[in-house]
Amino acid sequence: MRMRTLELTVGVFILAGVLALAVLAMRVSGLTNDATGDSYKVFAHFDNVAGLTTRAKVTMAGVTIGQVTDIRFDKNRYTGFVEMAINKDVNTLPADSTASIVTAGLLGEKYVGISVGGDDLMLAEGDEIHDTQSALVLEELIGRFLLNTVSSED
Amino acid sequence: MAVSSEYIVDLQQISFTRAERVIFDKVDIRIPRGKVTGIMGPSGCGKTTLLRLIGAQLRPDSGAIVVNGQNIPELGREDLFAARQQMGMLFQSGALFTDLSVFENVAFPLRVHTSLPEDMVRDIVLLKLQAVGLRGAHKLMPDELSGGMKRRVALARAIALDPELMMYDEPFVGQDPISMGVLVRLIRLLNDALGLSSIVVSHDLAETASIADYLYVVGDGQVLGHGQTDELMNSDNPRIRQFMQGEPDGPVPFHFPANGYIDDLLSRERT
Amino acid sequence: MGAMINRLALLGYAGLNVIAALGRSGVFLFQALTGRSRFGNAFELLLKQLYSVGVLSLAIIIVSGLFIGMVLALQGYMILVGYGSEQAVGQMVALTLLRELGPVVTALLFAGRAGSALTAEIGLMKATEQLSSLEMIGVDPLKYVIAPRLWAGFISMPLLSMIFCVVGIWGGAMVAVDWLGVYSGSYWSNMQNAVEFGSDVINGLIKAIAFAFVVTWIAVFQGYDCEPTSEGISRATTRTVVYASLAVLGLDFILTALMF
């Protein structure tokens, strides 16, 4: 009888440990979002993807609707190639929507924001978003600002 | 494997040193089969070490320890554990497993070395406990027993596998006269009834002499003498006589080596 | 001059002792872990040890995890709010716990709670001749007493570390979200964006496994190797906690340098 309670408590302990690992995997590192089963892939070319990382969120109207699954360099077009997985239930994105890389706050992380277009055709698996807006690079911005001030002083 | 020689244990030219101190220097001891052999000597002369050498818990610097025809120091780990099943040892403290009941303690060797069915284990355990007079205590835990009872349970555990050789490490230390008498009787009884050979290591002269068939006296890393009990009592060797008759001063001095007494008292030197 | 040489000799002697102890503990570990145990009840022995090493450490792990998570959230909030990025508190709590504090604090607590108990228990078994007695019964104490304790430590500590992290993150959420009013969506989503399963969770787990190995090894060896007197046992217990803590912190630096 004592053996039985021992077995049970140890069993609960091991279960709790494994469950903790599962929670860390799903809830904390957000592996669930990786479930590509209920999502479809679209891609886009950006002139500059600086700061964007895989698994960055893809939002529309501030709501996360998917995530970036792959970023690589397109050597034919000299641009950054970004692949995104969009949740299946968000299947009403017009084909001429705009994808832009935006920053959360001044120094925050980069993510992809999508703004709606007006096309009747909807984006589907494997489509490309043609209209893109690159990442805002702070140094370039400051550089341009300084240039402007210098030239306006002339 | 059973070599039917006259001696069950044969120590040949054993030398053993610990921390630069010579415990044994080329010692020969032979333990006759089927008898109770007492090994006696003053405290700290290495009597317990001797048992540990036979049980291979220690390794001699040189010499052979032949038990039942096997040279113990040369055995591999596996063979050694097999050889130890032929030996039973009663430790000074009893060394019962504190997390097991009396019954489980005695059943322990049976459980690890045999695959007997549970009811047979139970019969054997009760049999062994009956032999030491503690069958009624089989449900108790070790910390509920007195020192003497613990030692008797340990004895039952040591004979659970019917060993050929029983070793007793100071079995009489710290026992009241009654449990001492019980133990003395038990050692003799078990030896004769189970056909064991026994080694009793002790410095309690009267008790050991009363049960031993043969005696060894060791001291200073040597065997000082051996023989039947009465032979030794009347030995000419002054060291043996001092020990056997319990004289406080003699070849083993009463005083720790020191400077002259008067000089020490008169000198103003702070110690 | 003579005193100088004496001191040098003493130093050399101490060094040799350390190396010898290291060798002894290596052989000890090897012998305990290799070869099949011949006992039918090996599983039962492991179960008992899992209980006393793992289950009994749960309370201290959960309580400390909770408080450490809460403190991290509070401190992190106070720093981050200055930059207007208090929603990043979730990722800060999670990364700190997963990468560092989870494995390290669990290992330190484990050394204090379970390690010292292991040392004292084995030391006491040695002092009361129970280990010798096992040997004379023909049972290898390395297999019967030591091996189940080693395995129990190896298994328990990583599990405890995971539990510690989860409780800590939950405690952080309680402070940040329920008390300080960080939006719960950004607490969790920032965390999920920042935490990488492969590099953060798994690396933390690897750390925990490495610490489990070191702490349990030290604890069990100190017990087995101690001087069989009450003084010897108390010294060995102290040594377990000191050596295990130092080893964990040192190893943590090396592992961090290698991993991140």
Side-chain angles (χ1 to χ4, degrees):
Chain A
M1 209 56 211
R2 260 180 62 227
M3 201 61 208
R4 184 100 190 112
T5 47
L6 196 73
E7 278 171 11
L8 282 175
T9 44
V10 173
V12 168
F13 164 59
I14 290 178
L15 208 66
V18 173
L19 216 65
L21 185 61
V23 167
L24 291 182
M26 301 306 173
R27 186 101 171 99
V28 175
S29 60
L31 272 189
T32 34
N33 290 4
D34 274 350
T36 43
D38 44 8
S39 66
Y40 61 99
K41 294 243 163 86
V42 296
F43 59 94
H45 287 89
F46 292 93
D47 292 338
N48 192 335
V49 293
L52 192 69
T53 57
T54 47
R55 293 181 0 84
K57 57 187 174 180
V58 177
T59 66
M60 172 166 253
V63 181
T64 304
I65 58 165
Q67 66 174 328
V68 174
T69 51
D70 191 22
I71 298 172
R72 56 175 186 268
F73 179 61
D74 186 333
K75 60 185 177 191
N76 296 322
R77 294 171 58 171
Y78 302 103
T79 51
F81 171 86
V82 174
E83 189 186 76
M84 291 162 276
I86 311 286
N87 294 347
K88 254 255 154 64
D89 48 336
V90 189
N91 53 2
T92 51
L93 295 181
D96 64 344
S97 298
T98 311
S100 40
I101 296 176
V102 269
T103 311
L106 187 57
L107 300 167
E109 33 155 0
K110 297 275 200 300
Y111 63 95
V112 178
I114 294 180
S115 13
V116 208
D119 208 319
D120 291 339
L121 274 161
M122 299 299 158
L123 281 172
E125 172 77 32
D127 282 352
E128 181 177 357
I129 299 178
H130 295 282
D131 196 359
T132 61
Q133 225 169 13
S134 289
L136 197 71
V137 180
L138 201 61
E139 290 89 331
E140 271 179 19
L141 197 72
I142 293 170
R144 214 177 299 157
F145 171 74
L146 286 177
L147 213 66
N148 280 346
T149 23
V150 170
S151 48
S152 61
E153 271 174 12
D154 280 347
Chain B
M1 188 183 91
V3 182
S4 67
S5 94
E6 199 187 333
Y7 299 104
I8 186 160
V9 180
D10 193 350
L11 304 176
Q12 300 158 357
Q13 296 286 302
I14 292 297
S15 296
F16 184 77
T17 50
R18 181 162 42 201
E20 330 246 308
R21 198 165 83 88
V22 178
I23 311 273
F24 294 117
D25 183 21
K26 293 204 167 64
V27 164
D28 288 292
I29 293 178
R30 296 167 130 188
I31 309 294
R33 194 179 284 276
K35 302 235 166 90
V36 177
T37 307
I39 294 180
M40 313 197 46
S43 305
C45 74
K47 301 186 301 287
T48 304
T49 308
L50 189 74
L51 293 188
R52 292 191 179 245
L53 283 168
I54 297 173
Q57 296 188 312
L58 296 171
R59 198 173 270 270
D61 300 339
S62 66
I65 300 171
V66 181
V67 179
N68 259 340
Q70 286 180 300
N71 188 5
I72 294 290
E74 282 176 2
L75 292 180
R77 219 174 154 79
E78 290 292 311
D79 292 334
L80 185 64
F81 279 104
R84 279 179 181 151
Q85 291 181 39
Q86 304 296 315
M87 309 177 193
M89 170 112 112
L90 182 68
F91 287 89
Q92 240 178 81
S93 58
L96 294 178
F97 304 130
T98 40
D99 54 338
L100 299 178
S101 69
V102 166
F103 182 93
E104 285 301 323
N105 259 289
V106 180
F108 183 82
L110 298 167
R111 291 201 201 282
V112 291
H113 288 307
T114 68
S115 41
L116 293 173
E118 187 56 36
D119 52 345
M120 202 183 277
V121 168
R122 189 184 135 83
D123 288 350
I124 295 175
V125 170
L126 292 183
L127 199 75
K128 303 293 177 188
L129 281 172
Q130 174 74 13
V132 297
L134 289 174
R135 185 168 47 84
H138 72 89
K139 277 189 188 141
L140 298 182
M141 293 304 281
D143 51 14
E144 297 173 277
L145 301 177
S146 72
M149 282 154 86
K150 271 185 201 161
R151 228 168 272 194
R152 277 150 68 190
V153 172
L155 183 54
R157 186 180 65 186
I159 59 171
L161 283 174
D162 294 320
E164 291 182 46
L165 175 68
M166 265 305 298
M167 296 184 272
Y168 301 89
D169 185 6
E170 299 280 8
F172 311 120
V173 164
Q175 299 288 303
D176 62 76
I178 298 174
S179 46
M180 187 126 69
V182 170
L183 276 168
V184 167
R185 216 172 60 90
L186 266 177
I187 292 172
R188 185 76 245 177
L189 207 69
L190 290 172
N191 192 72
D192 298 347
L194 302 176
L196 306 171
S197 313
S198 308
I199 306 174
V200 179
V201 152
S202 176
H203 55 247
D204 288 296
L205 182 75
E207 285 75 21
T208 314
S210 71
I211 47 167
D213 301 308
Y214 203 79
L215 278 182
Y216 273 87
V217 178
V218 293
D220 283 346
Q222 302 285 341
V223 173
L224 298 176
H226 56 97
Q228 313 286 349
T229 313
D230 44 349
E231 275 173 41
L232 282 180
M233 278 292 189
N234 304 317
S235 168
D236 310 331
N237 186 328
R239 300 202 60 154
I240 298 179
R241 219 180 34 233
Q242 187 198 352
F243 183 76
M244 295 299 276
Q245 316 206 336
E247 292 159 1
D249 209 352
V252 178
F254 171 70
H255 290 291
F256 197 83
N259 301 330
Y261 188 35
I262 303 294
D263 296 347
D264 241 3
L265 286 181
L266 291 180
S267 74
R268 293 251 160 249
E269 190 188 322
R270 287 265 168 215
T271 48
Chain C
M1 190 63 200
M4 180 80 177
I5 287 175
N6 254 343
R7 217 166 279 169
L8 268 179
L10 218 61
L11 201 68
Y13 184 70
L16 286 181
N17 272 348
V18 167
I19 293 172
L22 211 59
R24 246 192 348 268
S25 66
V27 172
F28 161 85
L29 187 70
F30 180 78
Q31 282 182 337
L33 293 184
T34 54
R36 284 275 305 137
S37 148
R38 290 176 300 137
F39 316 111
N41 60 352
F43 179 72
E44 198 177 306
L45 291 173
L46 179 65
L47 209 63
K48 266 189 195 164
Q49 292 311 317
L50 276 175
Y51 178 78
S52 63
V53 168
V55 175
L56 293 184
S57 307
L58 262 180
I60 185 173
I61 291 295
I62 289 177
V63 172
S64 345
L66 189 66
F67 280 120
I68 286 184
M70 285 161 70
V71 167
L72 275 178
L74 199 55
Q75 289 279 16
Y77 179 84
M78 290 195 286
I79 294 168
L80 288 170
V81 80
Y83 302 94
S85 13
E86 67 271 16
Q87 68 273 27
V89 73
Q91 82 192 55
M92 199 210 78
V93 169
L95 286 181
T96 319
L97 279 171
L98 287 170
R99 289 182 176 184
E100 283 301 329
L101 289 185
V104 171
V105 175
T106 307
L108 295 180
L109 292 172
F110 188 77
R113 162 68 187 75
S116 58
L118 281 177
T119 306
E121 189 192 11
I122 296 171
L124 207 62
M125 287 178 92
K126 186 178 185 182
T128 55
E129 296 177 307
Q130 291 186 48
L131 294 184
S132 295
S133 164
L134 273 173
E135 272 186 7
M136 288 309 297
I137 289 173
V139 172
D140 190 344
L142 288 179
K143 300 274 188 309
Y144 185 81
V145 174
I146 303 299
R149 284 168 171 77
L150 281 171
W151 284 115
F154 297 167
I155 295 171
S156 304
M157 222 217 80
L159 294 176
L160 289 171
S161 169
M162 294 297 109
I163 294 171
F164 184 94
C165 290
V166 168
V167 172
I169 289 169
W170 179 68
M174 270 200 332
V175 168
V177 175
D178 299 338
W179 183 29
L180 298 173
V182 174
Y183 177 53
S184 100
S186 34
Y187 182 88
W188 292 107
S189 71
N190 263 321
M191 185 187 298
Q192 288 175 356
N193 282 324
V195 175
E196 196 78 48
F197 182 72
S199 68
D200 296 323
V201 179
I202 294 295
N203 275 352
L205 190 62
I206 291 172
K207 269 189 181 179
I209 292 171
F211 296 160
F213 186 78
V214 169
V215 171
T216 319
W217 181 16
I218 289 176
V220 170
F221 176 71
Q222 288 297 343
Y224 191 75
D225 201 51
C226 80
E227 203 184 306
T229 59
S230 43
E231 202 192 5
I233 294 171
S234 85
R235 266 204 306 266
T237 312
T238 311
R239 270 205 302 272
T240 290
V241 177
V242 173
Y243 290 178
S245 307
L246 290 178
V248 162
L249 295 173
L251 193 63
D252 182 45
F253 175 73
I254 295 171
L255 286 178
T256 306
L258 287 177
M259 281 172 176
F260 298 108

